[in-house]
Amino acid sequence: MSWIKEVFDTEKPIIAMCHLQALPGDPDYDATGGMDKVIVSAKNDVIALQEGGVDGIMFSNEYSLPYLTKVETVTVAAMARVIGELRSFVKIPYGVNCLWDPIASLDLAAAVDAQFIREIISGVYASDFGLWNTDPGKTARHRLRIGAKNVKMFYNIVPEAAKYLADRDISEIAKTTEFNNKPDAICVSGLTAGSETDTQVLKVVKDAVRKTPIFCNTGCNKDNIERQLSVADGAICATTFKVDGIFENPVDYKRVKEFMDIVKEFRN
């Protein structure tokens, strides 16, 4: 797991999500406010997250609901513009997540020099967004083809709002995902963004793999983060950092700082 320390300069890192407002082409895009509004919102969140002490940031088109499994070009272009304009403000490692398209995520990562992506890269799922089929071999080869071999890939094997189509135990999925696909990390989630991840499921996955880092992907908060990090090798957090802990709200620096103070004490 040495790559985690190399990238984030700490063990058990907290990666905070920077949720981009709806983008051009999205149903909820604010054409009046335009891209300037998206950029200002993202900049404010980045500043609050960094000052609050998180270890990394992941840019995501979280408000592009309902999500596509093959992202449109305009979305990748818009995200690249936002990240390009904010790069001078980002002082910590950052990644990208083009929901829900691993190829688009890798393309974006290559364009903006991101260090990691998180996606549904393997498996077949029945989801709110239709049948979720993947091609991990194609994705792995695409990473090499575009010169992004150093971009770490976080495999979400328990995606939100979806269920694995085959009747397989999560420990089996974790074992075969590790063996067949060689993920850089595995993410375990709750039902939706902000929903608490079951610590027992985290432990099952952690016990099933030999060397792959396991990340708690949803629902961490100041009351459960020590318990989750006692099992997981890191966490990806978002909703808990928002004003009043509400998904749609902007990031609240005070909530970030309070959370990270607990994490830093735990890591010591």
Side-chain angles (χ1 to χ4, degrees), residues 11-254:
E11 302 289 352
K12 297 186 180 287
I14 301 299
I15 302 172
M17 299 300 299
C18 179
H19 290 166
L20 304 184
Q21 296 296 310
L23 302 167
D26 293 337
D28 294 328
Y29 178 60
D30 180 0
T32 301
M35 285 296 295
D36 286 345
K37 179 180 177 181
V38 177
I39 293 166
V40 169
S41 174
K43 179 181 176 182
N44 290 338
D45 282 355
V46 165
I47 291 172
L49 291 169
Q50 286 191 147
E51 291 184 351
V54 301
D55 305 301
I57 289 176
M58 180 151 49
F59 294 95
S60 171
N61 58 322
E62 205 78 17
Y63 297 118
S64 291
L65 288 161
Y67 302 129
L68 297 168
T69 53
K70 184 172 176 54
V71 170
E72 295 175 344
T73 304
V74 65
T75 303
V76 182
M79 292 183 72
R81 180 186 169 190
V82 174
I83 298 167
E85 296 217 18
L86 296 182
R87 280 189 62 182
S88 62
F89 296 97
V90 182
K91 307 301 182 185
I92 55 179
Y94 62 92
V96 297
N97 186 190
C98 242
L99 297 161
W100 283 106
D101 186 337
I103 298 296
S105 295
L106 282 171
D107 288 343
L108 177 60
V112 300
D113 294 325
Q115 291 162 282
F116 54 92
I117 69 166
R118 176 195 62 179
E119 261 302 337
I120 309 303
I121 301 172
S122 63
V124 182
Y125 300 86
S127 80
D128 289 349
F129 312 110
L131 185 63
W132 213 330
N133 201 0
T134 64
D135 192 342
K138 178 182 178 181
T139 300
R141 286 163 176 80
H142 185 74
R143 175 167 65 164
L144 291 177
R145 187 161 48 248
I146 64 173
K149 66 179 181 179
N150 292 325
V151 175
K152 303 299 184 184
M153 294 201 294
F154 287 61
Y155 280 54
N156 190 349
I157 65 167
V158 189
E160 305 97 303
K163 183 177 181 179
Y164 208 93
L165 206 56
D167 185 16
R168 300 181 64 202
D169 183 83
I170 187 61
S171 64
E172 293 180 359
I173 296 171
K175 286 178 182 177
T176 58
T177 297
E178 181 181 51
F179 182 83
N180 290 318
N181 301 318
K182 298 179 174 59
D184 295 300
I186 287 176
C187 295
V188 182
S189 310
L191 181 62
T192 62
S195 298
E196 184 171 353
T197 301
D198 189 326
T199 309
Q200 285 304 114
V201 175
L202 272 175
K203 189 174 188 312
V204 167
V205 174
K206 180 67 176 173
D207 291 344
V209 300
R210 297 175 58 194
K211 57 184 179 181
T212 306
I214 304 301
F215 276 67
C216 183
N217 195 47
T218 64
C220 289
N221 56 53
K222 66 178 183 178
D223 297 321
N224 68 22
I225 188 58
E226 291 180 296
R227 169 164 46 87
Q228 302 294 50
L229 288 182
S230 69
V231 176
D233 299 297
I236 299 172
C237 304
T239 303
T240 193
F241 295 150
K242 305 291 190 74
V243 173
D244 297 326
I246 297 174
F247 172 76
E248 294 82 3
N249 287 345
V251 171
D252 181 344
Y253 158 77
K254 291 181 180 179

